[in-house]
Amino acid sequence: MEASSSIITHPLNLNHKPSSFFNKPPSLRFLPGVNKTVTLRRFHPHTRRTAVAPPSYFTTKIAGDRCVFPLDKSSGQRPLLDQCTRFSCFHHGRRKRFPICKSSPGAFSDKSVFHLSKHGVDNIFGKRVRVPCAAVGPDEPHAASTAWPEGVLEQQSSDSFTVNSESSEWRELQRFLGAQLPSHPKLVRGQLENGLRYLILPNKVPQNRFEAHMEIHAGSIDEEDDEQGIAHMIEHVAFLGSKKREKLLRTGARSNAYTDFHHTVFHIHSLTSMQDSDEDLLPSVLDALDEIAFYPKFVTSRVEKERRAILSELQMMNTIEYRVDCQLLQHLHSENKLSKRFPIGLEDQIKKWDAEKIRKFHERWYFPANATLYIVGDIDNIAKTINHIKAVFGPKHVAETPVAPKTSAFGAMANFLVPKFTGGISADSSSDKTSLPMNQSKLPKKERHAVRPPVEHNWSLPGKHEDLKSPQIFQHELLQNFSINMFCKIPVNKVQTYGDLRNVLMKRIFLSALHFRINSRYKSSRPPFTSIELDHSDSGREGCTVTTLTVTAEPQSWQGAIKVATQEVRRLKEFGVTKGELARYLDALLKDSEQMAAMCDNISSVDNLDFVMESDALGHMVMDHKQSYESLINVAGTITLEEVNFIGAQVLEYISDFGKPSSPVPAAIVACVPKKVHVDGVGEIDFKISPSEITAAIEEGLKEPIEPEAEFEAPKELITSTELDDLKLQLKPSFISTGLDSNAAKVHDNETGITQCRLSNGISINYKISKTEKCGGVMRLIVGGGRAAETPETKGAIVLGVRTLSEGGRVGNFTREQVELFCVNNLVNCSLESTEEFICMEFRFTTRDNGMRAAFQLLHMVLERSVWLEDAFDRARQLYLSYYRSIPKSLERSTAHKLMIAMLDEDERFVEPTPYSLQNLTLQTVKDAVMNQFASDNMEVSIVGDFSEEDIESCVMDYLGTVRASKGADMALSYDPIIFRPSPHNLHFQQVFLKDTDERACAYIAGPAPNRWGYAVDGTDFLESISKVSVSNGVQPETEGQLVKSDNNNFHMQRSRNHPLFFAIAAGLLAEIINSRLFTEVRDAQGLTYDVSCELNLFDRLNLGWYVISVTSTPSKIHRAVDACKNVLRGLHSKNIADHELDRAKRTLLMKHETETKSNAYWLGLISHLQAASVHRKDISCIKDMTKLYEAATIEDVYLAYEQLKIDDQSLYCCIGIAGAKADDEVSGSLQEEEYVGGLHGVLPVGRGSHAVTMPTT
């Protein structure tokens, strides 16, 4: 079983707080910071996400074969267009399309149930300023076409403002702007004689590891009408059928694969060499990729196995979100094959292909000259690496002549689809066999396109005088809100010169203003929109640059929302940005780029590789971050306000000049709307809308009178030095004894670098100086209490209160807008989060230019002078009301909700607040509930970053020491008992039926477990109980192998079992092993599912936890899939854990831990709760001994943890969700049917029709 199938909750995140998924309202958040102004349409093929989107009380997953810790970005957020364009053997997390402009009322992000992400959209140190660093390979034959129609570029430049082109300054500027950008000094390119291209980039993070990705330039766009989905099928069969890949996994390597429109990628993450051997693993990795890509075995049994998996995947992915995405892509690319070739394929065709049909497609496209190998990692000897590449891929592969597709295949595209190879491939190659030499005429037909993807677009260009397309409407009963997308599509502009970079910078500055304007202009309690996003990004997969205006709203307010969006776009286009906005956003972008340059040597290999691959597809120049920053500085001094407004206005013309003969015609306008809408006092009524009404709303918004934007002054500080001095004089802050080490006021651990101290007002402080992320820092305030402290009279008060504070965004005398601009100017991101156990406030900041002091100032103001607004409370309540009403429209959420209600005896603290509870709350109620927990003796602040001891302690003393002392921990930490529903009762097994046009099924299986520290809900203490059991009388059954021995002789087994972290370590290994078995048995052997995972949800403060198995299948197989999952869960005694299973689990988790220790966010999770009185057992040993505990763990230890899971019939809960068009009893009846369809046992014909496309395995 592949490591990539593992899905667990890792015990290493010692601060993980299980969070109710239902605490999360729709994506309505603004995190102040420059990141909201930056975007590139990108994707992340490496982290797996579960399409079922399990509620986050079913904790964060380890996905694909990358362990995902709870500090990683939650997968709840979903990009719009990046979901239906890539498929893989396992799920992958998508890199979010960062919107250049996203507006929603609220100054702070409410991150309830979302955890701090190292690389998320809310991360100012994530990969945000991408175009400046923007990228690679201008001459790569697979790069997207950037050919503009004749005369368009000339027309655009001639329309510019008047300049004196005769001046020497002008000529000098033009020479500079036309100069080539510098290329990455470490990037090595090459090509073998057989045409295989390779790119090598040395990168030291993480050490002793590398990424190797084999990209085949073939995907769903290359499929013929009877081959739809065959590229994805080949990916599955080739990848999972490779014996060499399986063998490689024993070394701790991780692997995965994915397919999208125009390429298929197989990737392996590996050690450079084994710790106990000097053997170089690169040859073995390359050998495995060679077998997967070029020598797969299309064995009938493997083909049938993967056929079943893909059919299950097809149904699993077909959520309403995926169907919306498909609608958008179908209309955006209606003129070409991108609208008809979703990688998952068509069900009826997938059922029919035999091994020979699949093999022929492989022979046509999978050959070295149509592939690129990327190697990024800790590689010192480039020459040796190249020799390895030649040794593996050179001798066996005879240079073959791929042929260009016939002219008729792509019509007008044929003139630029002729391959242009340097390896002796003629531009006159023909597919006519008679023109080939005799020995080549017998070779399989080889094809390769010079431009990827090989499609022709209808560009949205000014002056084309095309007729407006009528808005398209997608209406469905599972949709809850109104959304509309207006698309503009233009060719990709390669970023290769300083002039190209300058244009990108000017666009970013221009579009950065839109978010703030919309957010600051609309402060009513019921703004007509939910969110407004403007995205302008390049897509290598789609071969174009797309501008998208996305407006979401409550259905009743859709017309007002459209009017607001179009009015503000027109205002910005007509009047442009102000001088103040230009200065503000230019400065912010330069600071951000400077920050990235400072972190240049700390970017991970996988992130660098993603960037290089996407840049290859776009034809950009690749620079490192230092070059990027220097280049930005060089061009920044040349831009003018007039040019910024001219360049930016071009991006918005398709909206601002909508309907004018000379304006660009939108590529598509697509509205996605519900069939029913809730009206207070009435109930559900039909929702009616027409294309003409949409057009009229757009036109009315453009007719509204507009005025220029007024200049807005941002505060330089939130608390003055005079105010601070007065507070210090009055409160006399100091450090007091921590109680950890005699009477020491500060305790420092040399091994970990962690310092613990405590302020005189009772606030506990943990900090660690880290140089791994240069000039960057993260901070987290944790307040004990959370939703567990809600009483029957205040149900929902904490989650609604946190959202209210987020919506308001005001502190002291500063408005929400001033606070946001303060954060923008200082590169500070702030977010709020509420969970069952805690309220958290998280910050990311730069340690340059007083950025850390700015973050501390904001934290001080929130604690001391937060402002609670009635209109913010109304908005927050409306969001949760809407969210609650949307639950019955989601199969996964309604299924999980029903299970949680049954298991936790209808305890509303663990699910979303009901409308009844929400209506009973008042602003004063939620304010009191939240602020009562914000007592200074109930606060712990942890900070990790690149700062000095003097600087951090100065900030702590100035801004946290001056928080007024208050007592309240005892009250905040008290809570009504939490119980699992007593047995016996009839709710152990339940079903949910959802009426839908398409069939899907999912299930959750859950039961009680202790918390992270071994405390159970019945009061038992795991550590205390096992201390009474001698090692010789352990609970492990007899096994065929010996217990895994510790390599650390000084860490005795009995000592490890007395360790506070023992249960978390053993439980994490247990979950890893269970996941491996679930994949092997339920998916691979029995073919009952595409996705199955086990997670442990372990609380820190509350004395309980639970395990959850989530599985997807078809309605005809879901009951058998559930039974198979139960058998695996209960089968660890009948099929004993083997040595190799434990070894593999250890390697996986230790490798992840070692890698993540380079991250500030990971360390923030480790040091959180070190001084939390409510987390009794956590201390510094939990961090220092982690590796030793893993190494010392035995099979017996895993069984000790296993015995703590309640898996008997009286404790285990299950809920099955089934969606389909049939009535409940008919669906139930169909579950008993088993048919042979296309030779497959148990596949029920469901007849999706021609639009049978499903959610991608991204």
Side-chain angles (χ1 to χ4, degrees), residues 1185-1210:
D1185 298 337
M1186 197 174 295
T1187 299
K1188 295 176 184 177
L1189 286 165
Y1190 273 124
E1191 291 172 345
T1194 66
I1195 292 176
E1196 184 178 1
D1197 294 338
V1198 176
Y1199 274 104
L1200 286 172
Y1202 178 57
E1203 294 297 328
Q1204 305 309 305
L1205 305 186
K1206 305 297 184 183
I1207 59 176
D1208 57 282
D1209 288 337
Q1210 286 72 40

Tab-separated table of all heavy atoms in Angstrom, residues 1185-1210:
chain	number	residue	atom	x	y	z
A	1185	ASP	N	11.622	15.444	23.115
A	1185	ASP	CA	11.691	13.984	23.041
A	1185	ASP	C	10.904	13.388	21.885
A	1185	ASP	O	10.772	12.167	21.790
A	1185	ASP	CB	11.172	13.378	24.352
A	1185	ASP	CG	12.003	13.783	25.547
A	1185	ASP	OD1	13.180	14.147	25.354
A	1185	ASP	OD2	11.477	13.760	26.672
A	1186	MET	N	10.387	14.232	21.021
A	1186	MET	CA	9.482	13.732	19.996
A	1186	MET	C	10.127	12.674	19.103
A	1186	MET	O	9.588	11.588	18.889
A	1186	MET	CB	8.978	14.901	19.153
A	1186	MET	CG	7.745	14.580	18.343
A	1186	MET	SD	7.151	16.058	17.524
A	1186	MET	CE	6.697	17.053	18.910
A	1187	THR	N	11.290	12.983	18.593
A	1187	THR	CA	11.970	12.031	17.711
A	1187	THR	C	12.298	10.740	18.445
A	1187	THR	O	12.121	9.637	17.915
A	1187	THR	CB	13.249	12.665	17.145
A	1187	THR	OG1	12.906	13.819	16.378
A	1187	THR	CG2	13.995	11.686	16.249
A	1188	LYS	N	12.757	10.865	19.682
A	1188	LYS	CA	13.076	9.675	20.473
A	1188	LYS	C	11.845	8.806	20.700
A	1188	LYS	O	11.922	7.580	20.674
A	1188	LYS	CB	13.664	10.099	21.820
A	1188	LYS	CG	14.995	10.821	21.731
A	1188	LYS	CD	15.439	11.273	23.111
A	1188	LYS	CE	16.727	12.092	23.048
A	1188	LYS	NZ	17.125	12.587	24.397
A	1189	LEU	N	10.719	9.452	20.939
A	1189	LEU	CA	9.491	8.696	21.163
A	1189	LEU	C	9.085	7.909	19.925
A	1189	LEU	O	8.639	6.752	20.025
A	1189	LEU	CB	8.365	9.639	21.580
A	1189	LEU	CG	8.443	10.183	23.013
A	1189	LEU	CD1	7.499	11.363	23.187
A	1189	LEU	CD2	8.118	9.085	24.017
A	1190	TYR	N	9.233	8.506	18.760
A	1190	TYR	CA	8.934	7.774	17.529
A	1190	TYR	C	9.882	6.599	17.351
A	1190	TYR	O	9.467	5.491	17.015
A	1190	TYR	CB	9.025	8.711	16.323
A	1190	TYR	CG	7.738	9.442	16.035
A	1190	TYR	CD1	7.706	10.832	15.967
A	1190	TYR	CD2	6.557	8.749	15.823
A	1190	TYR	CE1	6.534	11.517	15.708
A	1190	TYR	CE2	5.369	9.414	15.564
A	1190	TYR	CZ	5.370	10.798	15.512
A	1190	TYR	OH	4.205	11.463	15.259
A	1191	GLU	N	11.153	6.859	17.568
A	1191	GLU	CA	12.126	5.794	17.357
A	1191	GLU	C	11.936	4.652	18.344
A	1191	GLU	O	12.170	3.489	18.026
A	1191	GLU	CB	13.531	6.380	17.474
A	1191	GLU	CG	13.893	7.324	16.336
A	1191	GLU	CD	15.215	8.032	16.565
A	1191	GLU	OE1	15.700	8.003	17.724
A	1191	GLU	OE2	15.756	8.608	15.605
A	1192	ALA	N	11.500	4.981	19.560
A	1192	ALA	CA	11.343	3.957	20.590
A	1192	ALA	C	10.014	3.215	20.513
A	1192	ALA	O	9.834	2.186	21.163
A	1192	ALA	CB	11.492	4.589	21.974
A	1193	ALA	N	9.077	3.717	19.741
A	1193	ALA	CA	7.740	3.122	19.698
A	1193	ALA	C	7.792	1.690	19.189
A	1193	ALA	O	8.530	1.364	18.255
A	1193	ALA	CB	6.828	3.964	18.819
A	1194	THR	N	6.986	0.843	19.803
A	1194	THR	CA	6.917	-0.564	19.429
A	1194	THR	C	5.512	-0.910	18.967
A	1194	THR	O	4.560	-0.139	19.148
A	1194	THR	CB	7.279	-1.452	20.626
A	1194	THR	OG1	6.261	-1.303	21.631
A	1194	THR	CG2	8.637	-1.068	21.209
A	1195	ILE	N	5.395	-2.091	18.404
A	1195	ILE	CA	4.079	-2.581	18.008
A	1195	ILE	C	3.171	-2.684	19.230
A	1195	ILE	O	1.976	-2.380	19.176
A	1195	ILE	CB	4.201	-3.940	17.287
A	1195	ILE	CG1	4.899	-3.762	15.944
A	1195	ILE	CG2	2.835	-4.587	17.113
A	1195	ILE	CD1	5.154	-5.044	15.196
A	1196	GLU	N	3.750	-3.084	20.366
A	1196	GLU	CA	2.973	-3.176	21.590
A	1196	GLU	C	2.412	-1.808	21.981
A	1196	GLU	O	1.263	-1.692	22.420
A	1196	GLU	CB	3.854	-3.720	22.713
A	1196	GLU	CG	3.108	-3.944	24.014
A	1196	GLU	CD	4.004	-4.525	25.096
A	1196	GLU	OE1	5.202	-4.726	24.833
A	1196	GLU	OE2	3.491	-4.761	26.205
A	1197	ASP	N	3.199	-0.766	21.793
A	1197	ASP	CA	2.729	0.589	22.101
A	1197	ASP	C	1.526	0.954	21.236
A	1197	ASP	O	0.561	1.562	21.715
A	1197	ASP	CB	3.849	1.609	21.864
A	1197	ASP	CG	5.004	1.431	22.823
A	1197	ASP	OD1	4.800	0.841	23.899
A	1197	ASP	OD2	6.122	1.868	22.481
A	1198	VAL	N	1.595	0.606	19.968
A	1198	VAL	CA	0.490	0.911	19.058
A	1198	VAL	C	-0.772	0.185	19.498
A	1198	VAL	O	-1.879	0.744	19.470
A	1198	VAL	CB	0.863	0.550	17.611
A	1198	VAL	CG1	-0.322	0.777	16.679
A	1198	VAL	CG2	2.056	1.371	17.146
A	1199	TYR	N	-0.622	-1.071	19.930
A	1199	TYR	CA	-1.791	-1.808	20.409
A	1199	TYR	C	-2.348	-1.205	21.693
A	1199	TYR	O	-3.562	-1.238	21.936
A	1199	TYR	CB	-1.436	-3.284	20.616
A	1199	TYR	CG	-1.590	-4.100	19.347
A	1199	TYR	CD1	-0.485	-4.487	18.614
A	1199	TYR	CD2	-2.850	-4.462	18.884
A	1199	TYR	CE1	-0.606	-5.225	17.451
A	1199	TYR	CE2	-3.006	-5.200	17.722
A	1199	TYR	CZ	-1.885	-5.577	17.004
A	1199	TYR	OH	-2.020	-6.292	15.850
A	1200	LEU	N	-1.487	-0.661	22.543
A	1200	LEU	CA	-1.981	0.013	23.742
A	1200	LEU	C	-2.887	1.180	23.371
A	1200	LEU	O	-3.933	1.401	23.984
A	1200	LEU	CB	-0.801	0.502	24.586
A	1200	LEU	CG	-0.021	-0.570	25.364
A	1200	LEU	CD1	1.226	0.038	25.986
A	1200	LEU	CD2	-0.902	-1.197	26.442
A	1201	ALA	N	-2.487	1.936	22.357
A	1201	ALA	CA	-3.328	3.038	21.887
A	1201	ALA	C	-4.599	2.511	21.230
A	1201	ALA	O	-5.691	3.075	21.403
A	1201	ALA	CB	-2.547	3.905	20.906
A	1202	TYR	N	-4.464	1.436	20.478
A	1202	TYR	CA	-5.608	0.850	19.777
A	1202	TYR	C	-6.694	0.420	20.757
A	1202	TYR	O	-7.896	0.580	20.484
A	1202	TYR	CB	-5.115	-0.347	18.967
A	1202	TYR	CG	-6.185	-1.112	18.216
A	1202	TYR	CD1	-7.020	-0.473	17.295
A	1202	TYR	CD2	-6.333	-2.479	18.414
A	1202	TYR	CE1	-7.993	-1.193	16.604
A	1202	TYR	CE2	-7.290	-3.204	17.722
A	1202	TYR	CZ	-8.123	-2.555	16.827
A	1202	TYR	OH	-9.079	-3.262	16.131
A	1203	GLU	N	-6.288	-0.102	21.919
A	1203	GLU	CA	-7.259	-0.553	22.899
A	1203	GLU	C	-8.098	0.592	23.468
A	1203	GLU	O	-9.154	0.368	24.064
A	1203	GLU	CB	-6.544	-1.267	24.054
A	1203	GLU	CG	-5.852	-2.567	23.662
A	1203	GLU	CD	-6.831	-3.613	23.159
A	1203	GLU	OE1	-7.979	-3.629	23.645
A	1203	GLU	OE2	-6.465	-4.398	22.264
A	1204	GLN	N	-7.629	1.833	23.277
A	1204	GLN	CA	-8.369	2.985	23.811
A	1204	GLN	C	-9.472	3.454	22.864
A	1204	GLN	O	-10.317	4.264	23.259
A	1204	GLN	CB	-7.405	4.144	24.080
A	1204	GLN	CG	-6.245	3.788	24.984
A	1204	GLN	CD	-6.696	3.125	26.275
A	1204	GLN	OE1	-7.519	3.679	27.008
A	1204	GLN	NE2	-6.157	1.941	26.544
A	1205	LEU	N	-9.482	2.978	21.639
A	1205	LEU	CA	-10.545	3.335	20.703
A	1205	LEU	C	-11.758	2.450	20.966
A	1205	LEU	O	-11.636	1.226	21.039
A	1205	LEU	CB	-10.075	3.158	19.255
A	1205	LEU	CG	-8.810	3.890	18.819
A	1205	LEU	CD1	-8.582	3.704	17.323
A	1205	LEU	CD2	-8.867	5.365	19.169
A	1206	LYS	N	-12.913	3.059	21.081
A	1206	LYS	CA	-14.130	2.298	21.329
A	1206	LYS	C	-14.725	1.886	19.979
A	1206	LYS	O	-15.286	2.703	19.255
A	1206	LYS	CB	-15.139	3.139	22.109
A	1206	LYS	CG	-14.599	3.711	23.418
A	1206	LYS	CD	-14.208	2.626	24.403
A	1206	LYS	CE	-13.761	3.234	25.721
A	1206	LYS	NZ	-13.303	2.194	26.680
A	1207	ILE	N	-14.585	0.595	19.666
A	1207	ILE	CA	-15.001	0.133	18.346
A	1207	ILE	C	-16.089	-0.942	18.414
A	1207	ILE	O	-16.433	-1.548	17.396
A	1207	ILE	CB	-13.789	-0.413	17.554
A	1207	ILE	CG1	-13.126	-1.563	18.311
A	1207	ILE	CG2	-12.786	0.703	17.277
A	1207	ILE	CD1	-11.976	-2.211	17.550
A	1208	ASP	N	-16.637	-1.168	19.589
A	1208	ASP	CA	-17.703	-2.159	19.711
A	1208	ASP	C	-19.009	-1.572	19.165
A	1208	ASP	O	-19.138	-0.364	18.941
A	1208	ASP	CB	-17.880	-2.559	21.176
A	1208	ASP	CG	-18.163	-1.354	22.058
A	1208	ASP	OD1	-17.182	-0.619	22.377
A	1208	ASP	OD2	-19.332	-1.111	22.381
A	1209	ASP	N	-19.992	-2.444	18.978
A	1209	ASP	CA	-21.262	-2.021	18.384
A	1209	ASP	C	-21.976	-0.969	19.210
A	1209	ASP	O	-22.712	-0.134	18.672
A	1209	ASP	CB	-22.181	-3.233	18.188
A	1209	ASP	CG	-21.706	-4.132	17.057
A	1209	ASP	OD1	-20.969	-3.625	16.184
A	1209	ASP	OD2	-22.057	-5.317	17.059
A	1210	GLN	N	-21.786	-0.971	20.527
A	1210	GLN	CA	-22.476	-0.014	21.376
A	1210	GLN	C	-21.814	1.373	21.354
A	1210	GLN	O	-22.413	2.359	21.776
A	1210	GLN	CB	-22.515	-0.510	22.829
A	1210	GLN	CG	-23.486	-1.638	23.065
A	1210	GLN	CD	-23.009	-2.952	22.451
A	1210	GLN	OE1	-21.808	-3.264	22.509
A	1210	GLN	NE2	-23.925	-3.708	21.852
